[in-house]
Amino acid sequence: MPAALSADSLIQASYFVTAVLFIMGLKRMSSPVTARSGILWAGAGMLVATLITFLFPGMTNFPLIIAAMVVGGSLAWWSGKRVAMTNMPQMIALYNGMGGGGAAAIAAVELYRGEAQNYATSTLAVVGGIIGAVSFSGSAIAFGKLQGLITRSIRFSGQQILNLLLLAAAAGLGGLVAFHLNASPAVVTGFFVLALLLGLTMTLPIGGADMPVVISLYNALTGLAVGFEGFVLNNAAMIIAGTVVGSAGTLLTQLMAKAMNRSLGNVLFSGFGDTGSAAVGEVQGSLKPIEAADAGVMMAFAQKVIVVPGYGMAVAQAQHKIWELCQLLIDRGVTVRFAIHPVAGRMPGHMNVLLAEAGVPYDLIADLEEINAEFETADVALIIGANDVVNPVARTDKSSPIYGMPILNADKAKNVIVIKRGKGAGFSGIENGLFYLDNTRMLYGDAQKAAAELIQAIKAVD
Amino acid sequence: MPAALSADSLIQASYFVTAVLFIMGLKRMSSPVTARSGILWAGAGMLVATLITFLFPGMTNFPLIIAAMVVGGSLAWWSGKRVAMTNMPQMIALYNGMGGGGAAAIAAVELYRGEAQNYATSTLAVVGGIIGAVSFSGSAIAFGKLQGLITRSIRFSGQQILNLLLLAAAAGLGGLVAFHLNASPAVVTGFFVLALLLGLTMTLPIGGADMPVVISLYNALTGLAVGFEGFVLNNAAMIIAGTVVGSAGTLLTQLMAKAMNRSLGNVLFSGFGDTGSAAVGEVQGSLKPIEAADAGVMMAFAQKVIVVPGYGMAVAQAQHKIWELCQLLIDRGVTVRFAIHPVAGRMPGHMNVLLAEAGVPYDLIADLEEINAEFETADVALIIGANDVVNPVARTDKSSPIYGMPILNADKAKNVIVIKRGKGAGFSGIENGLFYLDNTRMLYGDAQKAAAELIQAIKAVD
Amino acid sequence: MTGIVALYIFMLAAFTGYEVISRVPVILHTPLMSGSNFVHGIVLVGAMVALGGAQTPLEKTIGFIGVLLAAGNAVGGYVVTERMLEMFKSSGARRKGAAPEKH
Amino acid sequence: MTGIVALYIFMLAAFTGYEVISRVPVILHTPLMSGSNFVHGIVLVGAMVALGGAQTPLEKTIGFIGVLLAAGNAVGGYVVTERMLEMFKSSGARRKGAAPEKH
Ligand SMILES: NC(=O)c1ccc[n+]([C@@H]2O[C@H](COP(=O)([O-])OP(=O)(O)OC[C@H]3O[C@@H](n4cnc5c(N)ncnc54)[C@H](OP(=O)(O)O)[C@@H]3O)[C@@H](O)[C@H]2O)c1
Ligand SMILES: NC(=O)c1ccc[n+]([C@@H]2O[C@H](COP(=O)([O-])OP(=O)(O)OC[C@H]3O[C@@H](n4cnc5c(N)ncnc54)[C@H](OP(=O)(O)O)[C@@H]3O)[C@@H](O)[C@H]2O)c1
């Protein structure tokens, strides 16, 4: 069958090209300048692999395949185009969970079919299946939490023991299947149900603030599951892409946990980052409001202003107004810098994305290490919808849930102006002593509105 | 045969461990802090692989193997321990050539034996053989040139054409062998002779200054040859290690060429860097000598001294005295910095190695980009046995062989003191206008002696 | 593919993935997470093969779900990554153009 | 090993090598060149196998030369790399200790 043979070599060659394009694409995505082209490379690889797979020898069920692709693909396209930037993390979780589900489905087809495989393949199918299923249900919970569908973190003593028991039971059934002791449909079904349950119980106790790290972890796990199923199907593109993502994702997860000053074990098992249970600290002093007019004058005559944007700026979509405001200040000769905390907002790089969107030049943007020594020399620190990332309690109070997280030293500035709508707490739900300091003034209002008022005030100075 | 089978799995597993140790070792070697441990990891991998290979099924000729290992190993051990730091590049060339020869020998054994192989293996054997042989003879020439055994660069018009012809002829014979058209011993011998000749004629015209880049290139080629022969022998450790080195070495070669501001093609085909033929420029003005006592006073009362070490400091082994001198200056409150040009000396990182040996702290050492703006603020630039790396002609004269190489702007300092033995030229053999400037003074003498005199002079100031 | 070869491929792919991501700046964490999320959307080709070889209704059902989910992973991953990186393109270009003195 | 698998191993090993070396500082160029020179000394195991299977005098002679050269590569490469990196050890330690403020 020379036709089948040559189709096979064509498929093999295309998968090779796809693997190379994926690696080059990921490489390009890890530098800001080439990032955009990276996704195009990877996308080209995906297109090649998908199209060529239709030529796979012995394929049937084409209508079903195309129907499933159209339904899944267009739903994802539609939702991906619509989702707001602030909701990106949960959307990534959702798509990632779908990938995990896909890997689990492959494993299920192989295991239900139960054709004689060697131990190695059936073991890989089982391992990939459990990882994929955990990633599927776990990512669904992560989505629910970040989307606000699940608001409480369910937690009870013995949680870890339950997880261990579930894992042991799933592994036991998986072992029966893998070693061909009992691969009846009932056992296979039980195996997948337990794996899905495990994903739920593992993820439910984890607080929302840690979700980006957890999503990244499930992302790595899905990669691993895909790689394992690739070995089962002897599909090189899946093996390479899955393993590369598995390893890259593991590293990325560690880097993200580090940026939040947490260890991965701590994220998974400590239950920190829960909006519900965090203690609300007691703070002495009073909040001192300020009018936009006065705040505008204060900034107009400052030598140096450092802007600290936070989640509130993102929800108010105030970045354009803020940049307009800063341009006015720069025209007056004021030195303006933006101080970006690594976990400001709700996803890593959140603030950078928004400021880039508004057109703020890169050289005005500084990260935590660069800028922290500069606050002492600033006349005004303008806090816009940020809270936890400037909370000095992280430096001092060991019992605080954010203790140890590096923060921006806005309290060292000569004057602090805080834009927020009211007395709302930040993500971690704790009080912020910075707002009660003698040199702090509160400018109440939606960030966008407040910025507009400040612009008026500064224009009125001349 | 379960015994042979288990020996085989043991060998496979050991090779796997070796491959991992090699990669981890190279990874560690690419950062200054972990570099030392990197070679230990890689060494452990080599030990494991070598020992386990004695268990290879069907091995004979053990006395011969051990004799060859003892002879080759102890000669290399002895020479490697004895060689001076300044002679490192040619020693690396020598060892690298030996590796290329080893790969070629493997190819030769396979090809002379002429057992039925498939086209893919015999092609890989031929390609690995030619690369290995070129690397072998080419590295020998590189060694001869840097060691001073070959002093002239043999060059004639039509050189490139001869190389092309040799390559075509070798490829032709190789093709006969690879495609099993004629694999008689005579053809195989002719093939290897041509390949060895090609290595000679390729390397002879290249000037000594470019040798480090060429050595690095041959290093990458040997890696590739080893990888190819690994495919022939189905030896995973060789495949991985060879390919990793082939690719890493290619990148390293490019980085090195870039540090010298050259392109790889330019290095290979232009014949620059030849000590013999470079033009000696005409320079106006006179050399103004200075006594050590006066130079010492000048430095003792300076605010800031920038030290520029070069090849002369290395041959005089003056780094310890220089550091002693600098410590005296620092004690007097003088700001002292070391300016290191990337290609100062005779190998990349040469000066850093020597200064590290003498105990100069890292934070006093600056590289070209860091320090070049600072020369304007320096009262004294002390040039110790450096020449080409401070030659301003690189900025201005397009016909100069070093045109375009970034140089240290020592001529911008308020005063320049140059320590050298006489009127000797630098590596590129051209005159240096810096030495004739109004604010330059020459302190003649061996670098070590001159440094000792300066130390006396500064001590005498108090 | 023999076991040891599979192990080598696994090891090398893992090193490659690790090295490619090391030293990535914090600002790219989310787009990179999303980009690697897209890359494991390659599970789509496996799901296609699984459904393409499905015979019983059960296999077909699971295969259908698998392709649907996998297609969602691939397409969704692409769309959101592209949208996020689109913003970096401009800032990257600006960085190159407007602030070349920054190292 | 089939051709395509060999190609994958080659591609992945090449990426790994490239990535491992990228962004290496100039001062480490020579030791790193020497270190990778040592690593391809693994040709020794191939030469051992070649000589171990040699039968004719010609094969034995070439095999002997091969093992001799390969052993020289491995041992010499190790010795000089170790000597060079020994110097960096001290400076690396010093860097860590004496100048922690340097980024
Ligand atoms: N970046 C990440 O990867 C990531 C991911 C998950 C969680 N987190 C966590 O999220 C937090 C981020 O800190 P952050 O300082 O950026 O934000 P934050 O601590 O969540 O505080 C946001 C503040 O903005 C104010 N705000 C909300 N909407 C506003 C509007 N429309 N106009 C003006 N102000 C508004 C709120 O106060 P009012 O209600 O009074 O207005 C609130 O105090 C950290 O705890 C971090 O660990 C980060
Ligand atoms: N680093 C590398 O990787 C590498 C490799 C190969 C080639 N190169 C080339 O080598 C050159 C390096 O430049 P460089 O400025 O370091 O050195 P250089 O240009 O070679 O000049 C060395 C100077 O030191 C003097 N000198 C020699 N022995 C001395 C002693 N015992 N005491 C005092 N002075 C002594 C010589 O003059 P006197 O004879 O008058 O004393 C000579 O002018 C560049 O052209 C570079 O391209 C570099």
Side-chain angles (χ1 to χ4, degrees):
Chain A
M1 41 179 192
L5 219 175
S6 88
D8 192 56
S9 350
L10 188 64
I11 292 172
Q12 294 297 336
S14 308
Y15 283 178
F16 183 80
V17 171
T18 298
V20 174
L21 284 172
F22 279 171
I23 295 174
M24 305 284 285
L26 277 178
K27 210 166 128 62
R28 298 182 77 83
M29 273 186 245
S30 52
S31 143
V33 181
T34 56
R36 175 78 203 306
S37 65
I39 184 69
L40 297 180
W41 288 49
M46 187 70 80
L47 201 66
V48 167
T50 311
L51 291 181
I52 212 75
T53 301
F54 281 107
L55 300 184
F56 221 84
M59 288 278 274
T60 54
N61 298 332
F62 286 107
L64 274 183
I65 293 178
I66 291 175
M69 284 173 75
V70 169
V71 174
S74 49
L75 278 177
W77 180 274
W78 175 78
S79 58
K81 284 282 179 201
R82 262 179 40 117
V83 58
M85 276 295 150
T86 18
N87 294 335
M88 275 303 168
Q90 54 261 47
M91 221 54 209
I92 297 175
L94 197 64
Y95 299 140
N96 173 55
M98 293 172 90
I106 295 173
V109 170
E110 293 290 320
L111 296 176
Y112 278 122
R113 185 178 298 157
E115 275 165 23
Q117 297 154 316
N118 62 37
Y119 291 144
T121 9
S122 55
T123 306
L124 284 169
V126 164
V127 175
I130 190 171
I131 298 178
V134 165
S135 173
F136 177 68
S137 57
S139 297
I141 298 293
F143 172 80
K145 288 206 164 203
L146 285 180
Q147 191 68 12
L149 305 178
I150 304 170
T151 45
R152 274 189 44 74
S153 295
I154 295 127
R155 216 173 283 162
F156 53 89
S157 62
Q159 192 113 32
Q160 306 303 346
I161 295 172
L162 175 70
N163 289 347
L164 272 181
L165 285 179
L166 274 173
L167 179 62
L173 291 189
L176 289 182
V177 178
F179 297 113
H180 305 182
L181 301 171
N182 181 349
S184 67
V187 175
V188 173
T189 309
F191 165 72
F192 279 109
V193 169
L194 286 175
L196 290 170
L197 262 180
L198 179 61
L200 299 184
T201 60
M202 263 180 70
T203 321
L204 274 172
I206 301 174
D210 284 330
M211 273 308 150
V213 178
V214 174
I215 294 171
S216 176
L217 179 70
Y218 284 141
N219 185 37
L221 285 182
T222 301
L224 217 55
V226 171
F228 285 164
E229 300 307 329
F231 281 112
V232 173
L233 299 178
N234 210 349
N235 183 315
M238 282 172 71
I239 295 175
I240 311 282
T243 311
V244 166
V245 171
S247 134
T250 306
L251 177 59
L252 194 57
T253 309
Q254 282 166 350
L255 292 175
M256 284 173 72
K258 220 177 107 201
M260 292 178 142
N261 197 35
R262 312 282 309 280
S263 81
L264 197 50
N266 190 257
V267 166
L268 288 178
F269 304 122
S270 81
F272 161 92
D274 175 19
T275 34
S277 76
V280 177
E282 287 288 308
V283 179
Q284 309 292 334
S286 64
L287 295 170
K288 294 163 284 295
I290 190 173
E291 292 299 313
D294 300 335
V297 172
M298 194 191 260
M299 288 197 285
F301 292 101
Q303 300 259 317
K304 182 171 192 172
V305 172
I306 298 182
V307 180
V308 180
Y311 176 68
M313 185 193 81
V315 282
Q317 291 287 327
Q319 60 270 25
H320 300 276
K321 281 273 170 244
I322 299 289
W323 177 223
E324 200 183 325
L325 166 67
C326 291
Q327 278 172 309
L328 281 180
L329 292 173
I330 291 170
D331 289 346
R332 295 185 58 93
V334 181
T335 306
V336 175
R337 299 204 71 185
F338 288 83
I340 308 289
H341 191 281
V343 297
R346 285 296 176 272
M347 63 186 190
H350 202 166
M351 293 300 125
N352 301 67
V353 170
L354 297 177
L355 295 181
E357 192 194 359
V360 179
Y362 246 73
D363 48 347
L364 297 189
I365 301 180
D367 60 24
L368 191 128
E369 278 130 55
E370 269 178 82
I371 197 101
N372 248 351
E374 274 188 43
F375 276 103
E376 289 178 28
T377 67
D379 302 296
V380 179
L382 177 66
I383 320 263
I384 305 166
N387 190 337
D388 294 344
V389 299
V390 290
N391 194 337
V393 86
R395 288 198 295 254
T396 52
D397 181 0
K398 290 213 175 167
S399 70
S400 155
I402 61 169
Y403 177 72
M405 176 169 94
I407 61 153
L408 289 166
N409 296 335
D411 53 335
K412 300 277 164 71
K414 294 190 196 91
N415 297 286
V416 179
I417 300 179
V418 178
I419 301 182
K420 67 201 295 277
R421 294 164 311 174
K423 294 190 133 213
F427 196 95
S428 64
I430 54 173
E431 273 289 1
N432 191 336
L434 171 72
F435 302 159
Y436 297 86
L437 291 183
D438 285 343
N439 57 348
T440 301
R441 294 291 175 276
M442 309 299 290
L443 180 55
Y444 291 117
D446 175 81
Q448 177 139 214
K449 223 184 86 258
E453 289 169 11
L454 283 175
I455 291 173
Q456 293 313 317
I458 291 171
K459 281 193 178 152
V461 167
D462 305 298
Chain B
M1 42 179 193
L5 220 175
S6 87
D8 192 57
S9 350
L10 189 63
I11 292 172
Q12 294 298 336
S14 307
Y15 283 177
F16 184 80
V17 171
T18 297
V20 173
L21 284 172
F22 279 171
I23 295 174
M24 305 283 285
L26 278 178
K27 209 167 130 59
R28 298 182 77 82
M29 273 185 245
S30 52
S31 142
V33 182
T34 55
R36 174 78 204 304
S37 65
I39 184 68
L40 297 179
W41 288 50
M46 188 70 80
L47 201 65
V48 168
T50 311
L51 292 181
I52 212 75
T53 302
F54 281 107
L55 300 184
F56 221 84
M59 287 277 274
T60 54
N61 297 332
F62 285 107
L64 274 183
I65 294 178
I66 291 175
M69 284 173 72
V70 169
V71 175
S74 48
L75 278 177
W77 180 274
W78 175 79
S79 58
K81 282 283 179 200
R82 262 179 40 118
V83 59
M85 276 295 151
T86 18
N87 295 335
M88 274 304 168
Q90 54 261 50
M91 221 55 210
I92 297 175
L94 197 65
Y95 299 139
N96 173 54
M98 294 172 88
I106 295 174
V109 170
E110 293 290 319
L111 296 177
Y112 278 122
R113 185 179 299 156
E115 274 165 24
Q117 297 154 315
N118 61 37
Y119 291 143
T121 7
S122 55
T123 306
L124 283 169
V126 164
V127 175
I130 191 171
I131 298 178
V134 165
S135 171
F136 177 67
S137 58
S139 297
I141 298 292
F143 172 80
K145 288 206 163 202
L146 285 181
Q147 191 69 13
L149 305 177
I150 303 170
T151 45
R152 273 189 45 73
S153 295
I154 295 127
R155 215 173 283 163
F156 54 88
S157 62
Q159 191 113 32
Q160 305 304 345
I161 295 173
L162 174 71
N163 289 347
L164 271 181
L165 286 179
L166 275 174
L167 179 62
L173 292 189
L176 289 182
V177 178
F179 296 113
H180 305 183
L181 301 171
N182 182 349
S184 67
V187 175
V188 174
T189 309
F191 165 71
F192 280 108
V193 169
L194 286 174
L196 290 170
L197 262 181
L198 179 61
L200 299 184
T201 60
M202 263 180 69
T203 321
L204 275 172
I206 301 174
D210 284 331
M211 274 308 150
V213 178
V214 174
I215 294 171
S216 175
L217 179 70
Y218 284 141
N219 185 38
L221 285 183
T222 301
L224 218 55
V226 171
F228 285 165
E229 300 306 330
F231 281 113
V232 173
L233 298 177
N234 210 349
N235 184 316
M238 282 172 72
I239 295 175
I240 311 283
T243 312
V244 166
V245 171
S247 132
T250 306
L251 177 59
L252 194 57
T253 309
Q254 282 165 350
L255 292 176
M256 284 172 72
K258 219 177 109 203
M260 293 178 144
N261 197 35
R262 312 283 307 282
S263 82
L264 198 50
N266 191 257
V267 166
L268 288 179
F269 304 122
S270 79
F272 161 91
D274 175 19
T275 33
S277 74
V280 177
E282 287 289 308
V283 179
Q284 310 292 335
S286 64
L287 294 170
K288 295 162 286 294
I290 190 172
E291 290 300 313
D294 299 336
V297 171
M298 194 192 259
M299 288 196 286
F301 292 102
Q303 299 258 317
K304 182 172 191 170
V305 173
I306 298 182
V307 180
V308 180
Y311 176 67
M313 184 192 83
V315 281
Q317 290 287 325
Q319 61 271 24
H320 300 277
K321 281 274 170 240
I322 300 289
W323 176 224
E324 200 183 325
L325 166 67
C326 292
Q327 278 173 309
L328 282 180
L329 292 174
I330 293 169
D331 288 346
R332 295 184 59 92
V334 181
T335 306
V336 175
R337 298 204 73 184
F338 288 83
I340 308 289
H341 190 280
V343 297
R346 285 296 175 272
M347 63 186 190
H350 202 166
M351 293 300 126
N352 300 67
V353 170
L354 297 176
L355 295 181
E357 191 193 359
V360 179
Y362 246 74
D363 48 348
L364 298 188
I365 301 179
D367 59 24
L368 190 128
E369 278 131 57
E370 269 179 82
I371 198 102
N372 249 351
E374 274 188 42
F375 276 103
E376 290 177 29
T377 67
D379 302 295
V380 179
L382 177 65
I383 319 261
I384 305 167
N387 191 336
D388 295 345
V389 300
V390 290
N391 194 337
V393 85
R395 286 198 295 253
T396 51
D397 182 359
K398 289 212 175 171
S399 71
S400 154
I402 62 170
Y403 177 72
M405 177 169 95
I407 61 153
L408 290 166
N409 298 334
D411 53 335
K412 301 275 165 71
K414 295 190 196 92
N415 298 285
V416 180
I417 300 178
V418 178
I419 300 181
K420 67 201 293 278
R421 293 164 311 173
K423 294 190 135 214
F427 197 95
S428 63
I430 54 173
E431 272 289 2
N432 190 336
L434 171 72
F435 301 159
Y436 297 85
L437 292 183
D438 284 343
N439 56 347
T440 302
R441 294 290 175 277
M442 308 298 290
L443 181 55
Y444 291 117
D446 175 80
Q448 175 137 215
K449 223 183 88 259
E453 288 170 12
L454 283 175
I455 290 172
Q456 293 313 317
I458 292 171
K459 282 193 176 150
V461 168
D462 304 299
Chain C
M1 204 182 297
T2 66
I4 190 80
V5 171
L7 210 58
Y8 274 107
I9 296 225
F10 188 78
M11 182 267 283
L12 289 171
F15 265 115
T16 305
Y18 189 94
E19 289 296 326
V20 163
I21 300 303
S22 58
R23 286 162 284 200
V24 54
V26 172
I27 55 162
L28 283 176
H29 280 179
T30 298
L32 198 58
M33 173 164 84
S34 153
S36 57
N37 173 31
F38 165 65
V39 164
H40 66 53
I42 191 69
V43 69
L44 176 58
V45 306
M48 286 167 73
V49 171
L51 177 53
Q55 268 137 19
T56 68
L58 177 69
E59 282 173 28
K60 284 189 191 171
T61 312
I62 301 177
F64 186 85
I65 297 175
V67 173
L68 191 149
L69 291 175
N73 181 178
V75 173
Y78 183 85
V79 171
V80 297
T81 310
E82 212 271 347
R83 275 185 58 195
M84 273 190 275
L85 290 179
E86 180 63 36
M87 294 179 174
F88 281 93
K89 191 186 64 174
S90 53
S91 70
R94 196 175 312 117
R95 173 180 221 161
K96 256 176 128 182
E101 74 286 6
K102 245 204 136 187
H103 57 159
Chain D
M1 206 183 296
T2 65
I4 189 82
V5 170
L7 210 59
Y8 273 107
I9 296 226
F10 187 78
M11 182 267 285
L12 289 171
F15 265 115
T16 305
Y18 190 94
E19 290 295 325
V20 163
I21 301 303
S22 58
R23 286 162 283 198
V24 54
V26 173
I27 56 161
L28 283 176
H29 281 179
T30 299
L32 199 57
M33 172 163 84
S34 155
S36 56
N37 173 31
F38 165 66
V39 164
H40 65 53
I42 190 70
V43 69
L44 176 58
V45 306
M48 285 167 74
V49 172
L51 177 53
Q55 268 137 19
T56 68
L58 177 69
E59 281 173 29
K60 284 189 192 172
T61 313
I62 302 177
F64 186 85
I65 296 175
V67 173
L68 192 149
L69 291 175
N73 181 178
V75 174
Y78 184 84
V79 171
V80 298
T81 310
E82 212 270 346
R83 274 185 60 196
M84 274 189 275
L85 290 179
E86 180 63 36
M87 294 178 173
F88 282 93
K89 192 187 65 172
S90 53
S91 71
R94 197 176 309 116
R95 174 181 220 161
K96 255 176 127 183
E101 74 285 6
K102 246 204 136 188
H103 55 160

